[in-house]
Amino acid sequence: MILTTKHKELIERIGVFHEHKGMQPLVGRIIGLLLVHEEGEVSFDEIVENLGVSKSAVSNALTFLQAKDRCVYSTRPGDRKRYFALKVSDWREDFEKELLDIAEIQKFIDEVLEVRTQKNPEFNCKMKDFSNFLGFFKKEIPLLFERFKNQQG
Amino acid sequence: MILTTKHKELIERIGVFHEHKGMQPLVGRIIGLLLVHEEGEVSFDEIVENLGVSKSAVSNALTFLQAKDRCVYSTRPGDRKRYFALKVSDWREDFEKELLDIAEIQKFIDEVLEVRTQKNPEFNCKMKDFSNFLGFFKKEIPLLFERFKNQQG
DNA sequence: GATTAGGTTCTGTATTTGCAGAACCAACAG
DNA sequence: CTGTTGGTTCTGCAAATACAGAACCTAATC
């Protein structure tokens, strides 16, 4: 597949989006490429060529993506190349994990509340509210997916 | 206020939690200190002393936190010191912003769908599902806060 | 008008990151 | 057993980060 300027520009933007999430630049670009590539499966050297980076960098980035379970490769009979693809089917679990991740702050809020004195009741009260909300939020996550499934019909 | 080992250890852990979110180390430690400190308001040099860092580092970190609207300072009559505090009251807006932020990926998914051919319908279909869910999710966010308020009584 | 208190801005630097390039390895092909 | 393909691991470096320390600024104080 030959990438147009539009493709490349979109890949870059997807790249910086993922950089903001803490990933290293190339990892974000690879995610972009795997999303944009029409077959969804892209060989190692196609990645090297399309992104214009070294084999070593691609190798490390793919190892990382596989470790994070965001990417897999398949092979074809009589072909030693690996064809990499995103695990798009896992979007539910991945998104759920992200939500639980940002709710993780509750653990710290609760520890903070245990350690704090009563010197600033208003502060404590707001923190307690936040903690309660986070508890509520965590319980709501599975229901959210269920409601989505139902309204889909 | 004198910090115990327990306080300090909790501050460190809150620090690394925020580092994982992309913040620089000291910024995370300051958030931890402001959370743990019993008055909730902490002077500039109390931060310097308790965290054992330079004035310049603290100054930059506080500038950053104020720019991000996570922190404010107040002053007291006849006292030139600034007393810094977290904007704990903003937890709703902050959390909502975080949720919208992770749903931002929808924008890219949709762009990707516009650019993709029909060569891999299964892939496209799953991406479309994900996009639909993200749209649903965004609409659910305000309802979530409402439901929380109601069940609180 | 010199000094001090409370910060801020500038300059330098140790550490970390992110990648390139080369050496390397394993499997298969001739 | 030699060469080639497909990829990994090792070594090194340029750039970015995150902070220290010093110089600096500003308002109050003597």
Side-chain angles (χ1 to χ4, degrees), chain B residues 87-134:
Chain B
K87 291 181 98 185
V88 276
S89 56
D90 288 2
W91 67 259
R92 276 163 207 275
E93 298 95 281
D94 291 346
F95 195 76
E96 187 167 354
K97 216 172 283 172
E98 275 197 87
L99 292 178
L100 286 172
D101 214 70
I102 75 170
E104 267 305 272
I105 186 79
Q106 186 189 19
K107 202 174 63 195
F108 295 107
I109 303 287
D110 288 346
E111 284 193 66
V112 162
L113 283 169
E114 274 177 35
V115 153
R116 291 182 61 81
T117 63
Q118 292 304 316
K119 276 206 178 176
N120 191 336
E122 194 188 328
F123 189 104
N124 293 3
C125 184
K126 279 171 183 160
M127 299 284 293
K128 187 62 196 157
D129 276 352
F130 189 24
S131 171
N132 287 338
F133 174 76
L134 288 168

Side-chain angles (χ1 to χ4, degrees), chain A residues 95-132:
Chain A
F95 195 76
E96 186 166 354
K97 215 172 284 173
E98 275 196 86
L99 292 178
L100 287 172
D101 214 69
I102 75 171
E104 268 305 273
I105 186 80
Q106 186 189 19
K107 203 175 61 194
F108 295 108
I109 302 288
D110 289 345
E111 283 193 65
V112 162
L113 282 169
E114 274 177 36
V115 153
R116 289 181 62 80
T117 62
Q118 293 304 315
K119 276 208 179 176
N120 191 337
E122 195 188 328
F123 189 106
N124 293 3
C125 184
K126 279 170 184 162
M127 300 285 292
K128 187 63 195 160
D129 275 352
F130 189 24
S131 171
N132 286 340

Side-chain angles (χ1 to χ4, degrees), chain A:
Chain A
M1 173 185 185
I2 186 107
L3 296 174
T4 67
T5 309
K6 194 171 178 180
H7 283 125
K8 289 180 184 170
E9 179 262 359
L10 179 52
I11 290 172
E12 286 306 310
R13 280 172 32 239
I14 293 175
V16 320
F17 177 80
H18 284 91
E19 276 186 67
H20 289 319
K21 298 209 159 188
M23 290 178 182
Q24 70 187 58
L26 180 56
V27 171
R29 306 297 185 285
I30 291 180
I31 293 176
L33 176 57
L34 297 182
L35 279 172
V36 159
H37 197 278
E38 52 188 3
E39 283 94 15
E41 293 198 317
V42 187
S43 72
F44 189 93
D45 43 299
E46 247 184 305
I47 298 175
V48 168
E49 281 162 34
N50 281 311
L51 300 183
V53 289
S54 69
K55 290 202 296 172
S56 59
V58 170
S59 176
N60 288 323
L62 287 172
T63 302
F64 173 83
L65 281 169
Q66 291 172 94
K68 288 271 169 184
D69 221 40
R70 299 249 354 219
C71 170
V72 288
Y73 71 83
S74 54
T75 51
R76 298 166 190 182
D79 182 355
R80 272 167 60 207
K81 286 185 184 177
R82 293 172 189 176
Y83 294 87
F84 294 88
L86 290 177
K87 292 182 98 184
V88 277
S89 56
D90 289 0
W91 66 260
R92 277 163 207 274
E93 299 95 281
D94 291 346
F95 195 76
E96 186 166 354
K97 215 172 284 173
E98 275 196 86
L99 292 178
L100 287 172
D101 214 69
I102 75 171
E104 268 305 273
I105 186 80
Q106 186 189 19
K107 203 175 61 194
F108 295 108
I109 302 288
D110 289 345
E111 283 193 65
V112 162
L113 282 169
E114 274 177 36
V115 153
R116 289 181 62 80
T117 62
Q118 293 304 315
K119 276 208 179 176
N120 191 337
E122 195 188 328
F123 189 106
N124 293 3
C125 184
K126 279 170 184 162
M127 300 285 292
K128 187 63 195 160
D129 275 352
F130 189 24
S131 171
N132 286 340
F133 175 76
L134 288 168
F136 167 80
F137 178 72
K138 282 182 190 167
K139 279 188 301 184
E140 283 285 317
I141 295 173
L143 305 179
L144 209 61
F145 286 96
E146 240 173 78
R147 274 205 301 284
F148 174 67
K149 204 159 53 179
N150 293 340
Q151 68 113 50
Q152 281 278 292

Side-chain angles (χ1 to χ4, degrees), chain B residues 6-149:
Chain B
K6 195 172 180 180
H7 283 125
K8 289 180 184 170
E9 179 261 0
L10 179 52
I11 290 171
E12 286 306 310
R13 278 168 40 235
I14 294 174
V16 320
F17 177 81
H18 284 91
E19 276 186 68
H20 289 318
K21 298 210 158 189
M23 290 178 181
Q24 72 187 55
L26 181 55
V27 171
R29 305 297 185 285
I30 291 180
I31 292 176
L33 176 57
L34 296 183
L35 278 173
V36 159
H37 197 279
E38 52 188 3
E39 283 94 16
E41 294 198 317
V42 188
S43 73
F44 188 94
D45 44 299
E46 247 185 305
I47 298 175
V48 168
E49 281 163 33
N50 281 311
L51 300 183
V53 289
S54 68
K55 291 202 295 172
S56 59
V58 169
S59 176
N60 288 324
L62 288 173
T63 301
F64 173 83
L65 281 169
Q66 291 172 95
K68 288 273 171 185
D69 222 40
R70 300 247 357 219
C71 171
V72 288
Y73 69 84
S74 54
T75 51
R76 298 168 190 179
D79 182 355
R80 273 165 61 204
K81 287 186 183 177
R82 293 171 188 175
Y83 294 87
F84 294 88
L86 290 177
K87 291 181 98 185
V88 276
S89 56
D90 288 2
W91 67 259
R92 276 163 207 275
E93 298 95 281
D94 291 346
F95 195 76
E96 187 167 354
K97 216 172 283 172
E98 275 197 87
L99 292 178
L100 286 172
D101 214 70
I102 75 170
E104 267 305 272
I105 186 79
Q106 186 189 19
K107 202 174 63 195
F108 295 107
I109 303 287
D110 288 346
E111 284 193 66
V112 162
L113 283 169
E114 274 177 35
V115 153
R116 291 182 61 81
T117 63
Q118 292 304 316
K119 276 206 178 176
N120 191 336
E122 194 188 328
F123 189 104
N124 293 3
C125 184
K126 279 171 183 160
M127 299 284 293
K128 187 62 196 157
D129 276 352
F130 189 24
S131 171
N132 287 338
F133 174 76
L134 288 168
F136 168 79
F137 177 72
K138 283 182 190 167
K139 279 188 300 186
E140 282 286 318
I141 295 172
L143 305 179
L144 210 61
F145 286 96
E146 241 173 77
R147 274 206 301 283
F148 174 67
K149 203 158 56 180

